[in-house]
Amino acid sequence: MVGRQTPNAYILASLSFGLLFALAVTLTALRQPWLGLDLRSDAAGAVRVAAARGPAEMVPAGARLVAISGNGDRMELTARDLLVEPDGNLPRYADYDDFLARQDRLARIKQADTVELAGEDGETWTVAPRPARPLWSLPAEYWVQLFVGFTAWIIAALVWSFRRNDRSARYLLLSGFSTLMFSPFAAVYGTRELGMAAAPLRLFSDLNFLGGSVFVASLFSLLLYYPRPIAPRWAGLAVLAVFLGWFLAQQIGTFDSMVLARRLLVFVGLVGTFALAAVQWRMTQADPVARAALQWFLLSWLLGCTLFSAIIFVPQMFGIDTSALQAYAFLLFLLVYGGIAFGIVRYRLFDLGRWWANAVVWAASVLLLVALDIAFLFGLQLSSELSLAIALLIGTPFFIVFGALSDRVGRKPIIMTGLLLAVLTYFPLFHALTQAANPDLAQAQSQAEVVVTAARRDCSFGGKPVAREIDFRTSCDI
């Protein structure tokens, strides 16, 4: 019976798994004590407060913190305590163990009923940490990495749902799953406030490295079979075994250098994909259709991975910390999956065409049901059962009506009409939702006039791709 399941059943299962995975990761990120601090290290290596909210709102922005104490322990703060990504930035595993030990101490201090923050001029601030982090405190970097992992997984799962017996589609699915591992797990420990228990931090860091290794290995193996098979069946599994063996070797302490252990084989695998790409390109020279499809896959893969390596991996090999750019650099991996999606639509990549368009519309409908359910549940304060029932009642007919209509007029008019309706109705609908769910808030918004003024002389084009609260120094920075 499993083999007779329709692609839609696999798509639904993949969507459900992706959403549940994202929910579990987010809940894990929230289950940490919260001080309300946004900390940054300056050029001199000092720890400074970029912004303070909630429990620590009395701490002034720009203050330098030199120590934190609580639960009978006191720690001097260093720039390394704020390290976003230990991989590639800590030279030896001994440094990694020391980093984890300090993170564990900081996490235990934050579990105290009150902690004391010490400034450089002798001032102190007593803060009562909240037991859990509020959802809105998760920064944009977290949501970017979660989005990258979820999107990669969904695109790979959609392809596999229609090509389950295709070896190359299986490796693509594995690459999507590995992205779902390494990107969200990095988001959890990379956006921690200050300190994280050593056990989960080590676990997520290790799984991030494992996911990145499997990502490279799976796409290396994919190019062994797509679009032309150039290796025996066991070759792809052998590649995966080599990467998994390397991962286990560094786990048991075979290597002393962390940069070597967690970067070398990944870098070799990336270079190897370039060689396989050249071989596949040569083998398709007599097949213009296959080459047209292949070019989008190779262009997106090579461009995305090359740029990521140039921005993140290569500088780290020379001791330059690029972890602050990591979250947004993960967006480059969407070039890979975006190229796959374009190749499918334009050139029937993986030999998918009409089925792919159906799957995208169907998956979007499922996400619409989820959005409606959330809106009714949290916006109108309905029970979970009632909100789901109403969402199904509203959304289910659209599966049938617009599915049949798209068979007559095509997918593009239906999709473009839906986007136009979204543009025209989102703001009115959410205003109506606010009126119904929280009329006091709606009234306050309508009566409280907000006037923003800025001095023209302060305005200029800054050109910074990532804005930080500490950068807002003039009236025009708003």
Side-chain angles (χ1 to χ4, degrees), residues 292-309:
L294 178 64
Q295 69 180 357
W296 281 103
F297 175 74
L298 293 182
L299 177 63
S300 57
W301 159 247
L302 297 180
L303 183 62
C305 291
T306 300
L307 288 176
F308 185 85
S309 299

Side-chain angles (χ1 to χ4, degrees), residues 147-472:
F147 173 75
V148 169
F150 180 79
T151 303
W153 163 251
I154 292 301
I155 292 177
L158 286 173
V159 173
W160 172 80
S161 297
F162 293 101
R163 306 288 294 177
R164 296 190 298 278
N165 296 323
D166 191 320
R167 187 178 294 107
S168 58
R170 294 172 183 170
Y171 284 115
L172 181 66
L173 178 70
L174 184 58
S175 77
F177 176 72
S178 63
T179 308
L180 186 62
M181 285 179 57
F182 72 73
S183 189
F185 285 148
V188 174
Y189 64 78
T191 60
R192 69 192 185 280
E193 182 185 45
L194 177 66
M196 185 175 180
L201 177 53
R202 181 188 291 274
L203 175 64
F204 289 158
S205 177
D206 291 346
L207 290 177
N208 166 258
F209 170 58
L210 176 61
S213 299
V214 173
F215 173 80
V216 175
S218 58
L219 287 177
F220 186 100
S221 300
L222 186 154
L223 287 171
L224 292 175
Y225 307 109
Y226 186 83
R228 297 284 186 269
I230 59 176
R233 293 185 176 184
W234 55 264
L237 296 176
V239 171
L240 286 172
V242 169
F243 277 80
L244 291 176
W246 184 277
F247 170 78
L248 293 175
Q250 63 87 36
Q251 286 292 99
I252 62 176
T254 304
F255 306 99
D256 177 65
S257 171
M258 192 174 185
V259 176
L260 174 70
R262 296 206 169 184
R263 290 293 180 259
L264 179 61
L265 188 60
V266 172
F267 200 75
V268 169
L270 288 173
V271 174
T273 60
F274 298 164
L276 290 177
V279 173
Q280 289 287 5
W281 186 260
R282 183 178 180 84
M283 292 188 65
T284 56
Q285 61 183 348
D287 189 346
V289 176
R291 174 164 286 191
L294 178 64
Q295 69 180 357
W296 281 103
F297 175 74
L298 293 182
L299 177 63
S300 57
W301 159 247
L302 297 180
L303 183 62
C305 291
T306 300
L307 288 176
F308 185 85
S309 299
I311 295 173
I312 302 298
F313 283 170
V314 175
Q316 288 178 356
M317 300 291 285
F318 294 93
I320 301 174
D321 181 10
T322 58
S323 56
L325 301 174
Q326 176 173 278
Y328 296 99
F330 277 163
L331 288 170
L332 293 170
F333 289 113
L334 291 188
L335 285 177
V336 178
Y337 296 95
I340 292 172
F342 182 85
I344 289 169
V345 174
R346 181 67 178 84
Y347 297 108
R348 296 176 62 87
L349 189 64
F350 290 97
D351 199 27
L352 296 176
R354 176 173 172 269
W355 283 108
W356 171 263
N358 287 339
V360 171
V361 174
W362 194 88
S365 300
V366 173
L367 291 176
L368 173 63
L369 287 179
V370 175
L372 286 173
D373 185 25
I374 293 174
F376 293 136
L377 182 62
F378 294 102
L380 298 181
Q381 302 296 316
L382 302 179
S383 67
S384 58
E385 296 82 3
L386 182 58
S387 63
L388 179 59
I390 295 176
L392 287 171
L393 185 64
I394 295 175
T396 301
F398 289 97
F399 284 83
I400 303 172
V401 174
F402 288 103
L405 185 61
S406 65
D407 288 336
R408 293 178 178 271
V409 302
R411 274 62 177 165
K412 185 180 293 184
I414 299 297
I415 294 175
M416 296 306 295
T417 301
L419 293 175
L420 178 61
L421 288 174
V423 171
L424 296 176
T425 61
Y426 271 6
F427 280 100
L429 284 176
F430 274 96
H431 281 304
L433 184 62
T434 304
Q435 288 279 0
N438 196 339
D440 293 335
L441 174 62
Q443 183 179 5
Q445 289 175 337
S446 63
Q447 294 179 352
E449 182 179 4
V450 178
V451 178
V452 179
T453 60
R456 185 181 298 274
R457 64 179 179 275
D458 293 338
C459 299
S460 63
F461 177 73
K464 292 186 177 181
V466 180
R468 305 173 303 167
E469 293 188 40
I470 198 173
D471 295 324
F472 299 152

Side-chain angles (χ1 to χ4, degrees), residues 44-124:
V47 176
R48 294 195 177 274
V49 178
R53 299 165 293 186
E57 61 183 356
M58 77 291 294
V59 183
R64 179 186 176 185
L65 300 183
V66 297
I68 183 174
S69 56
N71 271 340
D73 192 7
R74 175 185 170 87
M75 284 187 64
E76 304 294 324
L77 296 177
T78 67
R80 180 171 285 189
D81 296 326
L82 306 182
L83 189 63
V84 174
E85 178 57 73
D87 288 9
N89 294 304
L90 295 176
R92 300 167 56 246
Y93 277 98
D95 299 312
Y96 182 47
D97 292 336
D98 179 66
F99 170 77
L100 292 174
R102 288 185 60 86
Q103 291 294 307
D104 199 57
R105 283 183 63 191
L106 288 169
R108 288 199 301 270
I109 289 175
K110 287 176 60 178
Q111 291 174 353
D113 293 333
T114 59
V115 301
E116 186 175 89
L117 304 172
E120 63 178 335
D121 296 324
E123 64 269 55
T124 59

